[in-house]
Amino acid sequence: MQVFEQVESEVRSYCRNWPTVFTTAKGSRINDEQGKSYIDFFAGAGSLNYGHNHPVLKEALMGYLAEDNVVHTLDTYSVAKRRFLETFRDVVLAPRNLDYKVQFPGPAGNNAVEAALKLARKYTGRETIVSFTNGFHGMTLGALAVTGNSMKRGGAGVPLNNAATMPYDNYMDGRTPDFLWLRSLLEDPGSGLDRPAAVIVETVQGEGGINVASDEWLRGLEAVCREHELLFIVDDIQMGCGRTGPFFSFERAGITPDIVTISKSLSGMGLPFALTLMKSHLDVWEPGEHNGTFRGFAPAFVTATAALETFWRTDDFTAQVDANADWLDGRLRGIAESHPELVITTRGRGLARGLVFDEPEHAGLVCQEAFANGLLMETSGGADEVVKFLPPLNTPRSDFEEGVDILREAVATVAKEVSAKEQA
Ligand SMILES: *Cc1c(COP(=O)(O)O)cnc(C)c1O
């Protein structure tokens, strides 16, 4: 363990909550050097929607490497890229009637967001991007400027500007339909809001605490964008690739964003891969205007293509996610109802779920206790008050049961500790 503490920067984070050394992983399970097995309800922050080392994806990757196929290509044409684009067009875009061009930005989510913001500014000639309370879009300066969390913003070291924050759905407890706030400001010449280039939004805020925007709110927001000719960007990096059921999380609301970012589970195996999708008339890029060395990582094309073929040719996978989501929601409600002294509520959509605690400290203790008993989960939310579930979407029911049992025990243990402390 020492080498990590001596050599690795203080910036390391997840390893502090899970102080062990991981070795192998399969499906919804990950193992450490001591031979302890954990249920993984973190899933690489949503990068492992199909679980660790899915056999079909792994086989595709190993076959590709074994034949000395090209690995690094910048953005030159390759067979792997052709297969990916054809499959993405045929399996994802065409059946949904989506007329998007596909941009390969750098391989991280933040770079897909940077590309989206640059393009919106270039296309409209305007600077301001509207973002939302508790939104998260990445840690590079442009993406950070549209991110809510004050601790993360504080790391920028320069002013984060050209962005305006607005209340997300339900920010004001449902007393006002919050998107009307944006509409009022846009219509009021005295509002002080410069005419924005675009709006960037998550349909469910993953890092922000599993806050769910209603379909009605999203449609209202899209309508405001159309009325005022703002581009409508959906950041589907965490909620896309089936996390909420359908491939894109915005499908159920019946909206069609102008620009979409996806990443995390896109490669299906945790390999770095991101896309920025734009309606074709918005494709005003000059060649090379948003460049990057790792925009053609062929192993990720290969596993992403295999994932699309395996999971997205039919609607069966979405149905499976919906069924698992109903089951998990019921179990989490049960835990919340048994511990009203600690848990305020549950929320979520699909297999993005949260247990909202009265105190951030209690949410943290529950995750610690769960880790000790073999379950990985993290906290999220503005104050880290939400215990967040992102299980692999194809987690077998027996692993679900085992994970939920560990969680239930962890909540009970923390409840006991808290009440003992209160009585002392
Ligand atoms: C993770 C995430 C990002 C940033 O992706 P990175 O790969 O960490 O740069 C952006 N937006 C959302 C919604 C995310 O969940």
Side-chain angles (χ1 to χ4, degrees):
M1 209 72 121
Q2 262 182 353
V3 68
F4 302 115
E5 279 151 29
Q6 281 170 4
V7 180
E8 192 179 354
S9 159
E10 293 302 319
V11 79
R12 67 192 189 276
S13 71
Y14 292 105
C15 51
R16 296 174 189 269
N17 298 332
W18 301 324
T20 191
V21 180
F22 293 109
T23 52
T24 57
K26 193 135 194 67
S28 306
R29 289 186 174 267
I30 180 166
N31 308 303
D32 73 9
E33 264 180 346
Q34 272 72 49
K36 183 168 167 182
S37 165
Y38 300 81
I39 303 251
D40 186 357
F41 281 180
F42 172 64
S47 303
L48 296 163
N49 282 3
Y50 317 118
H52 291 272
N53 292 321
H54 190 280
V56 175
L57 311 192
K58 192 175 76 176
E59 199 182 299
L61 178 62
M62 295 204 306
Y64 188 81
L65 295 175
E67 290 166 2
D68 274 338
N69 287 300
V70 63
V71 168
H72 184 269
T73 65
L74 285 161
D75 69 356
T76 59
Y77 297 141
S78 66
V79 173
K81 175 150 80 171
R82 178 197 287 142
R83 286 202 184 124
F84 171 74
L85 284 171
E86 286 171 351
T87 310
F88 193 74
R89 179 193 61 200
D90 296 346
V91 174
V92 175
L93 298 180
R96 293 169 180 78
N97 280 320
L98 292 170
D99 163 41
Y100 289 137
K101 295 286 284 290
V102 175
Q103 175 179 1
F104 299 108
N110 57 32
N111 206 263
V113 171
E114 295 293 339
L117 303 182
K118 275 192 196 175
L119 184 67
R121 288 178 171 130
K122 176 170 175 161
Y123 182 82
T124 60
R126 298 175 225 139
E127 282 141 33
T128 305
I129 308 282
V130 169
S131 58
F132 292 91
T133 49
N134 290 305
F136 179 81
H137 301 288
M139 302 295 277
T140 48
L141 290 180
L144 202 50
V146 290
T147 288
N149 187 292
S150 55
M151 188 276 270
K152 295 192 166 103
R153 292 178 69 88
V158 294
L160 295 172
N161 41 31
N162 303 316
T165 185
M166 295 284 154
Y168 192 68
D169 191 13
N170 242 344
Y171 189 66
M172 297 186 278
D173 294 326
R175 277 171 310 211
T176 16
D178 314 69
F179 63 84
L180 294 181
W181 176 262
L182 173 60
R183 175 177 281 142
S184 318
L185 296 190
L186 290 167
E187 285 169 1
D188 178 359
S191 71
L193 176 67
D194 295 325
R195 188 157 176 237
V199 159
I200 185 165
V201 71
E202 298 152 271
T203 63
V204 178
Q205 295 180 323
E207 299 305 296
I210 312 290
N211 308 309
V212 180
S214 69
D215 296 342
E216 185 200 359
W217 189 83
L218 290 168
R219 285 194 289 266
L221 184 61
E222 183 184 51
V224 173
C225 289
R226 301 291 170 241
E227 279 163 42
H228 292 271
E229 296 180 350
L230 317 182
L231 296 181
F232 184 38
I233 307 172
V234 169
D235 179 349
D236 227 8
I237 288 172
Q238 190 162 151
M239 293 303 147
C241 302
R243 177 51 59 188
T244 69
F247 186 82
F248 293 112
S249 70
F250 56 80
E251 289 175 46
R252 53 170 276 158
I255 55 176
T256 310
D258 297 302
I259 302 176
V260 180
T261 55
I262 47 176
S263 179
K264 290 201 165 84
S265 275
L266 180 62
S267 79
M269 250 190 92
L271 302 183
F273 192 21
L275 296 181
T276 304
L277 310 175
M278 70 213 67
K279 285 187 177 164
S280 48
H281 70 279
L282 299 177
D283 189 11
V284 294
W285 288 117
E286 297 294 328
E289 201 177 6
H290 186 86
N291 236 338
T293 307
F294 291 109
R295 291 172 307 112
F297 186 48
F301 293 148
V302 170
T303 57
T305 304
L308 294 177
E309 290 288 359
T310 306
F311 296 103
W312 296 104
R313 279 272 175 204
T314 69
D315 293 334
D316 296 352
F317 193 61
T318 298
Q320 188 191 333
V321 174
D322 290 345
N324 281 332
D326 281 347
W327 179 88
L328 181 61
D329 185 40
R331 293 302 152 106
L332 294 182
R333 275 172 208 272
I335 293 174
E337 279 158 20
S338 318
H339 293 285
E341 74 283 19
L342 279 193
V343 183
I344 297 171
T345 187
T346 67
R347 57 189 180 218
R349 173 171 289 154
L351 284 172
R353 296 270 153 193
L355 270 186
V356 186
F357 281 75
D358 58 340
E359 299 281 344
E361 188 198 342
H362 298 155
L365 286 172
V366 166
C367 287
Q368 239 175 54
E369 180 69 18
F371 171 72
N373 293 311
L375 174 65
L376 302 186
M377 281 185 333
E378 72 160 347
T379 57
S380 77
D384 282 329
E385 73 283 18
V386 181
V387 170
K388 173 176 158 185
F389 291 79
L390 294 177
L393 305 179
N394 53 357
T395 297
R397 190 52 62 83
S398 55
D399 284 351
F400 263 127
E401 302 259 11
E402 194 179 326
V404 167
D405 286 347
I406 295 173
L407 173 74
R408 188 183 299 109
E409 285 296 309
V411 175
T413 303
V414 172
K416 240 181 264 159
E417 284 168 12
V418 168
S419 92
K421 219 190 269 168
E422 274 163 6
Q423 273 155 29

